[in-house]
Amino acid sequence: MGWFKRNKEGITTETKDKKETPEGLWHKCPKCKVIVRQEDHEATFWVCGHCEYHERIDAKEYFSFLFDDGKYQELDSKMRSKDPLEFEDTKKYKERYDSTVKKTGLNDAITTGYGLLHGQAVTIAAMNFSFIGGSMGSVVGEKISRAIQNAVKHKTPFVMISKSGGARMQEAAFSLMQLAKTSAQLTLLSEAGLPYVSILTDPTTGGVTASYAMLGDINIAEPGALIGFAGPRVVKETIGKELPDGFQTSEFVLEHGFLDFIFKRHELKDKLKFFFDCTLQKEETAVAK
Amino acid sequence: MEYIEFESPIRELEEQLKKTKQLQTETGQDLSRTMREIEKSIISTRKDIQKNLSPWQKVQLSRHPSRPYTLAYIQAITNGNFLELHGDRGVKDDKAMVGGWGIIDGESYMLIGQQKGINTKMRQYRNFGMANPEGYRKALRLMKMAEKFNRPVITFIDTPGAFPGLEAEERGQGEAIARNIYEMCALKVPIICIIIGEGASGGALGIGVGDKVLMLENTWYSVISPESCSSILWRNWDHKEQAAKALKLTAEDMLKNKLVDGIIKEPLGGAHVNPEEIFETVKQTIIKTAAKLLETPKNKLIDSRIKKLSKMGVFDE
């Protein structure tokens, strides 16, 4: 017998009476629930000022603060998937794809750009988690490959911001081969002596971890991100017991030796510049138009 | 010999054949004509089954309990001239990944592959052919050794996936596979990869980047197993047959989509029906393919390997 008796079952507020924060004006931190003005949230790079929770953001947001004045030249912006296998599960892949394009205004789970970072020409590829879970299919693989080619051509460093659940199942083996395709291009970047920074953000799992995300000259991550090859649910099922606290977080992966450091989002741009200054040979440094 | 469901007509015929043989020895009657008839119908039944195999049935064949595994191939094609090497020099020796030097027809090769167990005890010992990071790192160590001594690498792929365990994550399963893929893209010796059973996702690709990637006729290769695909996309395990079809994971589909370079024909009914025959076919394929690749200058070899990979993918602009 408990000390307090519950007279009513469950939560009694009806859905229609629930108070939601209006979108656009205020931001409520999903972790500590503190509410701040949206513009203040953006000013802190979408990081909670109270608990330092790094909110998931897409390429557009990363580009807005990494490229000088938020200006960059987007590469291959029109590229779209062709549904090579005419894949159908509970829904046709084509329909799923088209509705996601409409909903997100994005053409696939990646955006690639070329511009200046503290005056240094740089090529950046960033994944969009809002597009089918940031899954990697033909378009993601091809755009990364071309971004690397752009870096080689203009002798710029290459920065990859990963945020993905893994390979896109609806493109099956085509997705799988993107692991090899992107890795192959990275061997050419390395041959050209250009720096590659792999940034892992929440979440980076599956096939992405088994290719470009783990192949940086430096691999760095945002705090608290989920990083792993097999998803936590699969690992839990495999070992048949609860996972230890903090399993597969950035901090865990750093501790096990697979990351160079963890950074806070507001430090990222300066740290990248520092790394480029240390690694780029002066005569090879290009200046973007 | 073990049988899977759709092989049951074969089982009946083979039992009939056995009984007839027995009857002949017992009674002294000449039943050779009947036996020939039964043998003929075994062949025609096998042909019928083979012709109508669904993608899911091919997945089942690729996992046939009597199907030969990597070490059986290696033993047969090297005629026992095989020196197995162990360990990743960091953590331990992974029993799910085997490798070493072998001599085929007077030439030496580095032979590497996932190994499944042949009985319950061995299946556990081999971790069901699911390698840990140290398995991939052992494979890489051996590939680098092959590069040093300028000899070709042959990989045998047969895995339900890289092991999704706790220690595997701690020791960087993703990084281990990524490193192998990366290094294989630019390895300065010919690489031939042969899918002899299951080619499941990154676990397979971790030893699967090569100048020639070949699939045995009744194998599968994709980004995920049909069962896991069903559980993720349909949220239950009941759509595995549908998933197998949708994934286009058969050798035929993979070749059509230009994601592999060729198909190796299996004996009628599958590799398990006549292992000696498949060993010989694989051996001759390796000899022929390697000879051709060894003639190619090294820089051209890597160049065309990277070009081939660069073409994989379908998109609109």
Side-chain angles (χ1 to χ4, degrees):
Chain A
M1 183 75 180
W3 283 14
F4 301 102
K5 193 164 181 282
R6 186 194 285 273
N7 290 318
K8 288 180 183 173
E9 278 303 315
I11 299 162
T12 53
T13 317
E14 295 210 9
T15 314
K16 65 175 168 61
D17 297 330
K18 275 193 183 161
K19 292 186 177 49
E20 289 285 342
T21 329
E23 278 200 27
L25 277 176
W26 298 93
H27 173 80
K28 184 174 168 189
C29 174
K31 199 176 163 199
C32 71
K33 316 286 183 211
V34 166
I35 296 170
V36 292
R37 287 196 317 173
Q38 186 63 35
E39 50 191 271
D40 293 340
H41 187 50
E42 282 170 24
T44 54
F45 307 95
W46 298 270
V47 173
C48 176
H50 292 83
C51 71
E52 292 205 325
Y53 173 76
H54 283 55
E55 198 197 340
R56 283 180 187 171
I57 53 173
D58 278 346
K60 193 178 139 218
E61 287 81 25
Y62 279 108
F63 287 180
S64 74
F65 65 87
L66 284 179
F67 285 117
D68 295 346
D69 306 320
K71 277 191 211 144
Y72 61 95
Q73 186 190 329
E74 194 181 337
L75 306 169
D76 308 300
S77 63
K78 294 204 177 78
M79 197 185 292
R80 291 187 52 167
S81 171
K82 244 179 131 170
D83 187 16
L85 304 175
E86 293 171 354
F87 197 95
E88 187 176 353
D89 47 88
T90 51
K91 204 173 167 184
K92 279 194 172 135
Y93 172 43
K94 193 145 194 352
E95 287 168 14
R96 201 185 287 273
Y97 193 91
D98 289 343
S99 73
T100 311
V101 168
K102 220 169 157 186
K103 198 178 75 194
T104 59
L106 298 162
N107 269 340
D108 210 303
I110 193 155
T111 311
T112 51
Y114 170 49
L116 296 175
L117 183 151
H118 284 322
Q120 164 67 50
V122 61
T123 311
I124 310 180
M127 302 189 74
N128 302 309
F129 193 74
S130 56
F131 198 100
I132 319 185
S135 56
M136 169 183 52
S138 295
V139 174
V140 169
E142 182 67 19
K143 283 179 80 165
I144 292 175
S145 299
R146 290 198 196 175
I148 298 169
Q149 285 160 11
N150 182 79
V152 173
K153 186 176 158 198
H154 296 286
K155 296 198 172 88
T156 79
F158 176 60
V159 177
M160 177 75 229
I161 304 173
S162 296
K163 187 185 294 285
S164 167
R168 188 172 298 162
M169 256 175 285
Q170 292 89 345
E171 292 186 33
F174 280 103
S175 302
L176 179 63
M177 295 310 163
Q178 304 312 310
L179 275 68
K181 179 180 182 169
T182 50
S183 304
Q185 290 300 322
L186 286 174
T187 65
L188 301 178
L189 184 79
S190 178
E191 212 169 81
L194 295 162
Y196 170 37
V197 179
S198 170
I199 301 175
L200 295 87
T201 69
D202 186 55
T204 299
T205 59
V208 170
T209 327
S211 59
Y212 52 82
M214 278 294 169
L215 293 172
D217 291 312
I218 56 171
N219 301 328
I220 61 180
E222 289 184 351
L226 171 70
I227 299 167
F229 174 67
R233 196 171 51 95
V234 178
V235 179
K236 199 175 143 189
E237 276 168 20
T238 307
I239 63 169
K241 53 184 175 195
E242 287 301 314
L243 298 169
D245 278 348
F247 181 64
Q248 292 183 320
T249 56
S250 309
E251 294 72 17
F252 171 94
V253 181
L254 176 74
E255 204 49 47
H256 283 92
F258 295 95
L259 292 177
D260 288 280
F261 57 84
I262 294 170
F263 63 88
K264 289 176 187 147
R265 209 174 268 161
H266 69 88
E267 310 166 328
L268 177 60
K269 190 169 176 175
D270 292 347
K271 294 212 174 206
L272 286 174
K273 181 63 166 62
F274 185 87
F275 178 70
F276 298 152
D277 286 345
C278 294
T279 52
L280 273 177
Q281 285 160 39
K282 292 284 178 289
E283 66 271 25
E284 281 184 3
T285 314
V287 178
K289 45 189 167 175
Chain B
M1 176 80 128
E2 291 180 69
Y3 298 87
I4 46 182
E5 327 144 25
F6 61 84
E7 288 180 309
S8 63
I10 303 288
R11 163 186 266 174
E12 278 166 31
L13 285 167
E14 284 190 338
E15 272 165 12
Q16 247 181 49
L17 185 69
K18 214 166 120 193
K19 274 186 203 149
T20 319
K21 251 186 212 160
Q22 217 174 355
L23 200 67
Q24 182 173 270
T25 13
E26 278 168 14
T27 61
Q29 261 182 300
D30 181 18
L31 298 171
S32 58
R33 239 182 87 189
T34 325
M35 288 197 284
R36 271 202 304 277
E37 287 300 316
I38 299 173
E39 275 164 0
K40 253 194 228 162
S41 75
I42 288 179
I43 291 176
S44 69
T45 312
R46 280 213 188 275
K47 276 186 183 158
D48 279 350
I49 293 174
Q50 187 69 36
K51 213 165 51 198
N52 300 313
L53 280 179
S54 70
W56 172 247
Q57 285 173 326
K58 287 199 178 174
V59 172
Q60 287 179 298
L61 266 185
S62 78
R63 299 170 179 165
H64 198 293
S66 308
R67 205 173 161 87
Y69 300 141
T70 296
L71 280 174
Y73 279 89
I74 292 179
Q75 285 299 331
I77 63 183
T78 62
N79 200 16
N81 293 305
F82 175 61
L83 184 66
E84 189 177 347
L85 305 172
H86 296 272
D88 73 332
R89 299 295 186 269
V91 176
K92 60 168 161 193
D93 183 49
D94 192 332
K95 312 293 185 217
M97 184 77 79
V98 297
W101 287 108
I103 293 175
I104 309 171
D105 220 21
E107 298 283 342
S108 66
Y109 297 84
M110 180 56 77
L111 307 161
I112 299 167
Q114 287 106 353
Q115 179 66 30
K116 290 180 175 174
I118 48 169
N119 53 39
T120 312
K121 201 177 151 200
M122 289 306 281
R123 274 191 274 278
Q124 245 164 19
Y125 178 74
R126 298 291 183 187
N127 200 26
F128 305 89
M130 295 186 282
N132 273 286
E134 45 277 20
Y136 291 98
R137 291 182 182 128
K138 166 161 84 174
L140 181 60
R141 180 174 78 82
L142 300 185
M143 287 189 252
K144 285 297 202 182
M145 198 195 302
E147 186 179 48
K148 175 175 172 183
F149 298 109
N150 199 21
R151 295 306 307 161
V153 173
I154 317 292
T155 69
F156 296 88
I157 296 167
D158 188 10
T159 182
F163 189 58
L166 186 112
E167 288 87 3
E169 290 296 315
E170 288 178 340
R171 297 198 284 266
Q173 187 71 287
E175 194 275 345
I177 294 171
R179 186 68 47 202
N180 279 24
I181 294 172
Y182 180 86
E183 294 287 346
M184 289 180 94
C185 287
L187 202 77
K188 294 188 198 78
V189 290
I191 309 172
I192 302 169
C193 309
I194 306 172
I195 293 116
I196 58 165
E198 299 189 84
S201 201
L205 193 63
I207 56 165
V209 179
D211 303 296
K212 289 282 175 231
V213 179
L214 309 169
M215 285 178 81
L216 261 55
E217 194 183 349
N218 300 308
T219 61
W220 69 273
Y221 193 7
S222 196
V223 75
I224 192 165
S225 74
E227 289 94 332
S228 303
C229 179
S230 165
S231 92
I232 293 174
L233 293 182
W234 282 270
R235 309 222 167 261
N236 63 55
W237 296 83
D238 306 333
H239 291 77
K240 53 186 191 284
E241 289 168 50
Q242 217 173 323
K245 200 170 155 221
L247 286 167
K248 306 276 190 320
L249 44 61
T250 65
E252 227 178 329
D253 282 322
M254 288 294 284
L255 183 65
K256 204 171 81 194
N257 287 326
K258 299 199 175 86
L259 298 172
V260 297
D261 304 297
I263 298 175
I264 298 176
K265 214 167 156 39
E266 291 186 26
L268 184 61
H272 62 289
V273 175
N274 191 346
E276 297 312 316
E277 190 183 322
I278 192 65
F279 294 153
E280 189 55 31
T281 316
V282 167
K283 179 179 167 181
Q284 293 310 325
T285 310
I286 291 173
I287 294 171
K288 218 171 64 193
T289 316
K292 215 179 265 171
L293 292 171
L294 280 167
E295 284 171 16
T296 321
K298 276 181 194 171
N299 52 355
K300 220 185 136 203
L301 195 71
I302 296 169
D303 226 38
S304 46
R305 197 184 296 158
I306 291 178
K307 272 203 186 106
K308 180 182 82 173
L309 293 170
S310 301
K311 281 190 206 133
M312 294 180 181
V314 181
F315 46 84
D316 265 332
E317 291 188 79

